[in-house]
Amino acid sequence: EQWSRFVRPGNDAQSVSRILAMVSHAVGVTDIETEQCREQEQEKEQEAEQEQEIEMERYVDVAYQRDGEEPKRWAFKSLCERGEAGQLSPLADGTFYPASQFRLPSRSALPFPPYLHISRNHFNLDWLGERRLKNAVMVLEWTPSAAAVAAAPAETSSLTEEQRQRLHK
C-alpha cells in the first residue's frame, strides 16, 4: 500500500499480483524463514548457556575462598622441642591442632583419638566460609619419646544411628 503510488493501474498492478503470488507460494521462502528462526533460537540457547557458565564460574569464585592458603613452613627438628608449659613445640605454636577439633563450617567434629593431629597447612580452623580441602600429601607417625610408648587402650566406640545415616548419605 505504501508503494501504490509507484504502481500504475492495469498491467503494473497485475504484474505485482503475479510476482507476489509466485514468491509467496515458493517453497524456499518458508524454508528460509524457518531456518532463520532456528538459527535465532540456537543463538539464544548458546547465549543462555554462556551466561549460565559465567554465573557458575562466579559462584565457584565466591563460594571457595582462596586467601590465606599459602603453606607455612615448619622444621622437622621442632617435633622434638618443647614449648610453653612443656607442651611439644608444634602443638604449642599452633602448627598442628588436635584432629578432634577438625570440622567443616556448619558441620560437627568427628571423635578422633587425642593422639591424632592435623596440620594447619591442610585445613586452618581460622578460615571462614566454604573451602575446598587440600589433598593429604603426607602422613607422619611420630613418637616424641620412645620411653613413653605404651599400648593404646582399645576403644570400642560405635556410631550412633544419626552418625550412620549421615555416613551413608
Side-chain angles (χ1 to χ4, degrees):
E1 295 176 13
Q2 75 181 41
W3 308 109
S4 60
R5 61 185 172 162
F6 297 108
V7 179
R8 289 179 283 162
N11 287 343
D12 283 351
Q14 289 175 354
S15 295
V16 168
S17 297
R18 276 186 300 193
I19 291 170
L20 288 175
M22 285 190 324
V23 170
S24 64
H25 295 320
V27 177
V29 172
T30 56
D31 291 344
I32 290 172
E33 290 174 352
T34 304
E35 184 63 27
Q36 286 175 342
C37 288
R38 282 189 204 137
E39 288 176 1
Q40 288 175 349
E41 288 175 7
Q42 286 176 346
E43 287 175 8
K44 287 180 184 177
E45 288 174 6
Q46 288 174 346
E47 288 175 3
E49 288 175 9
Q50 288 174 345
E51 288 177 10
Q52 187 175 13
E53 288 174 8
I54 290 170
E55 275 301 311
M56 289 299 290
E57 289 172 3
R58 286 182 189 152
Y59 173 76
V60 168
D61 289 344
V62 170
Y64 296 105
Q65 300 175 10
R66 307 305 295 184
D67 57 324
E69 289 189 356
E70 299 80 26
K72 296 190 175 39
R73 295 173 178 254
W74 54 274
F76 279 113
K77 71 175 187 167
S78 69
L79 294 174
C80 64
E81 296 173 353
R82 297 270 173 189
E84 298 173 15
Q87 191 177 26
L88 293 169
S89 182
L91 303 175
D93 66 11
T95 303
F96 291 89
Y97 59 89
S100 59
Q101 293 178 6
F102 170 73
R103 66 178 187 77
L104 298 175
S106 70
R107 303 284 169 87
S108 58
L110 296 174
F112 287 110
Y115 54 84
L116 285 180
H117 291 79
I118 295 177
S119 167
R120 290 192 187 276
N121 288 337
H122 174 69
F123 189 84
N124 192 335
L125 296 173
D126 297 331
W127 288 335
L128 300 174
E130 297 293 324
R131 298 282 180 147
R132 288 186 179 159
L133 286 179
K134 296 178 183 178
N135 293 333
V137 176
M138 181 181 86
V139 174
L140 173 67
E141 184 174 344
W142 163 59
T143 306
S145 170
V149 173
E155 293 186 28
T156 58
S157 62
S158 59
L159 298 175
T160 66
E161 187 59 35
E162 178 188 354
Q163 289 171 330
R164 278 195 195 102
Q165 289 175 356
R166 289 178 57 198
L167 182 63
H168 295 291
K169 281 187 181 180

